Amino acid sequence: MRVRGSRIGRTIAVVLASLLLWTSLGLLEASAGAGVVELRMWHMEQPPHRVQRVQEIIEEFQRQNPDIRIRQEVQNWADVYPKALSAIRARNQPDLLFTIPDFTTVIKATGVIQPVDQLVAQMDKEHRFLRAALEPYQYEGRTWAVPLYGMTHSLWYRKDIFDRAGVAVPRTWDELLAAARTLTGAGRYGIGLPANKHLYTDQTVYNLMITAKAEDIFDASGKVIFDNPQTVRAYRMYRDLWQYSPKDSTGWTWGEAEAAFTSGQAAMIFQFTTILTFDRDAGRPPSDLGVAPIPWPPDGQRGSIFYSNGVMVLTADRAKQEAAYRFIRYLLQPDVYGRFLNMEPGLFLPVTEDGSTAASFWQDPLVVKYRSQVQAMVEQSRYGALFGFTKGRVFPAIGPISAQNVLAQTVQKMIVDGMSPEDAVRWGHRQMESLAR
């Protein structure tokens, strides 16, 4: 009986020990789960290769920071304004949201955006942000987003087509118009310009507004000054150029423009970059891909649209905020930053001083192959501006104006509806005044 009792006792002890172990493991697992901070991150970089690169960097970060999990959720610029506002109203907004300056003003009005003053000040000491990239996010005494990458338009031209036609690279508006006219014919168009209600059209016409010295939409007091002779001149130039653009370009966005340029249907376009599609689809050597500043009139100025893309923090949870800060710091480390920028080689430009010299940026095979074009884009970015964020001033009223694509709608009134440049600009002015109230 004593032996039997001993066996029973050992059995009970084993069962109790197992239960204790299972309980301990369960508690440990629960503890580990409780210690992991999860972040949802929205961005609008839809092409699969960009999503893949972001995922690679997230996974690298998570291996070094096992207490943080990040889930990227891909959106698009066509509907992110209403979608983000709906998510905020439902209290289901992402913790991190990629942005541009005017989108930031819209989200700030909801009250969920968290200032990032200390984080940006610290990172500015470490990496030195370009002022043009940082200032659009600094107003009302706070900093509302962390700059991540810059984008600027240039004049992209097919050097092989130019050479065959004996056309020189245009430097002025008159030369641009003459080149577009000469290069149009036999199924080819001298230039491709969009004319629909889309951000790409906003950006393209704003290039001409800057070069005509009509970059200011507001005066110092915030009054709309869109309707002025310089703006009318820019829109008239747009109309004159558009007659040498494919007729279906009224529906173009960035992708259609790149495709037409790469195929040779359009000899010139205004675009952030065409390197990736040209290299993949054109079947031409890199030397046939030309890039130059946006031409300007003799009494105008050099310039083009420039975006400082950034990231906002939308969570008030302190643990999530700290996790978000760690990820943002990781992204801007020079050995990581270049690979992040090169999710689309040649499109995304550094916004930090150490990023502009980072080996991880300049050693990308495609950047090496098209180094002269990338260098030209970096140079062009020094002349960039963004509507609503000029001369060191920030006007939150630009948010609803941008959300409604009023610059583009003004182009539509002129190209599609046949309005004169004067009447179209007057119409756009009234729309802006209404939205700015």
Side-chain angles (χ1 to χ4, degrees):
M1 289 295 292
R2 206 182 303 167
V3 171
R4 188 180 175 188
S6 176
R7 286 177 178 171
I8 292 173
R10 286 199 296 272
T11 301
I12 292 173
V14 168
V15 170
L16 288 174
S18 299
L19 287 172
L20 180 61
L21 176 61
W22 293 339
T23 302
S24 298
L25 287 174
L27 288 174
L28 284 173
E29 186 176 353
S31 176
V36 173
V37 178
E38 296 187 351
L39 298 174
R40 290 171 57 221
M41 181 175 74
W42 283 17
H43 67 75
M44 280 63 76
E45 304 305 338
Q46 289 182 291
H49 54 276
R50 298 184 200 173
V51 176
Q52 181 181 348
R53 178 60 60 88
V54 171
Q55 186 61 35
E56 290 170 1
I57 291 175
I58 286 174
E59 291 173 3
E60 291 172 6
F61 171 77
Q62 290 178 161
R63 283 194 291 272
Q64 298 179 32
N65 299 270
D67 56 332
I68 299 174
R69 288 288 178 273
I70 299 174
R71 184 170 77 244
Q72 62 168 329
E73 298 177 7
V74 183
Q75 311 299 329
N76 68 75
W77 279 114
D79 61 13
V80 73
Y81 281 78
K83 192 170 182 179
L85 294 175
S86 295
I88 291 168
R89 280 194 294 271
R91 299 183 179 180
N92 189 36
Q93 71 270 17
D95 305 299
L96 291 167
L97 175 56
F98 280 34
T99 189
I100 52 179
D102 56 88
F103 187 41
T104 304
T105 66
V106 174
I107 300 302
K108 181 182 174 300
T110 68
V112 302
I113 190 171
Q114 303 295 314
V116 287
D117 309 311
Q118 293 183 353
L119 174 66
V120 167
Q122 178 190 357
M123 299 188 72
D124 195 28
K125 290 180 181 176
E126 296 174 4
H127 307 296
R128 294 192 179 280
F129 286 112
L130 304 181
R131 295 300 103 185
L134 182 56
E135 287 178 355
Y137 296 117
Q138 293 184 312
Y139 44 95
E140 299 179 3
R142 311 302 297 263
T143 304
W144 301 105
V146 183
L148 291 180
Y149 48 91
M151 300 166 63
T152 194
H153 268 198
S154 299
L155 175 69
W156 294 87
Y157 64 95
R158 287 288 300 266
K159 189 173 183 301
D160 51 329
I161 296 174
F162 271 59
D163 288 346
R164 285 198 298 272
V167 174
V169 180
R171 304 295 183 191
T172 68
W173 275 14
D174 287 345
E175 292 174 357
L176 177 63
L177 196 57
R181 184 186 307 116
T182 301
L183 294 167
T184 298
R188 188 182 61 221
Y189 295 86
I191 193 166
L193 295 176
N196 63 343
K197 183 184 174 184
H198 194 274
L199 183 57
Y200 181 42
T201 310
D202 290 335
Q203 296 164 350
T204 305
V205 72
Y206 192 62
N207 291 325
L208 298 183
M209 290 175 60
I210 298 171
T211 54
K213 295 186 176 178
E215 69 270 28
D216 294 323
I217 289 179
F218 306 97
D219 67 10
S221 68
K223 179 183 176 184
V224 175
I225 57 171
F226 181 68
D227 187 5
N228 63 73
Q230 289 79 18
T231 303
V232 171
R233 185 185 186 194
Y235 273 80
R236 183 181 299 115
M237 178 63 177
Y238 201 95
R239 182 199 60 184
D240 293 346
L241 282 171
W242 195 85
Q243 62 185 312
Y244 306 114
S245 179
K247 301 313 172 192
D248 66 350
S249 66
T250 50
W252 278 10
T253 64
W254 303 283
E256 290 83 1
E258 276 196 75
F261 177 78
T262 301
S263 69
Q265 182 192 20
M268 296 182 284
I269 57 171
F270 296 153
Q271 185 64 286
F272 292 116
T273 187
T274 65
I275 289 175
L276 191 63
T277 51
F278 182 87
D279 188 77
R280 184 188 61 211
D281 301 332
R284 306 294 306 179
S287 58
D288 280 348
L289 180 59
V291 59
I294 304 291
W296 63 94
D299 57 346
Q301 62 184 356
R302 180 174 177 176
S304 61
I305 194 163
F306 174 79
Y307 279 98
S308 170
N309 291 260
V311 60
M312 299 179 287
V313 176
L314 304 186
T315 175
D317 183 299
R318 295 298 299 270
K320 288 192 171 189
Q321 287 181 0
E322 179 52 36
Y325 297 165
R326 281 163 63 183
F327 181 62
I328 294 169
R329 290 191 192 99
Y330 182 79
L331 276 184
L332 291 180
Q333 293 298 320
D335 61 329
V336 176
Y337 189 44
R339 289 185 289 119
F340 173 68
L341 295 174
N342 286 323
M343 63 176 149
E344 185 76 49
L347 174 60
F348 301 132
L349 305 174
V351 293
T352 62
E353 288 189 8
D354 58 1
S356 66
T357 60
S360 60
F361 177 69
W362 291 104
Q363 290 180 355
D364 180 274
L366 207 59
V367 173
V368 171
K369 190 174 181 180
Y370 291 89
R371 187 180 182 92
S372 64
Q373 289 90 342
V374 174
Q375 287 176 323
M377 294 166 59
V378 172
E379 175 66 17
Q380 178 71 356
S381 69
R382 297 175 184 175
Y383 300 89
L386 181 61
F387 44 90
F389 300 87
T390 52
K391 294 183 171 56
R393 301 189 297 262
V394 175
F395 300 102
I398 194 62
I401 291 172
S402 180
Q404 291 296 318
N405 302 109
V406 177
L407 295 181
Q409 287 194 68
T410 303
V411 169
Q412 276 192 312
K413 290 292 180 184
M414 189 175 61
I415 301 296
V416 179
D417 297 345
M419 275 189 181
S420 69
E422 291 81 1
D423 288 345
V425 169
R426 192 173 302 120
W427 178 90
H429 185 99
R430 289 197 297 269
Q431 297 300 307
M432 290 181 183
E433 284 186 325
S434 175
L435 291 166
R437 289 174 186 154

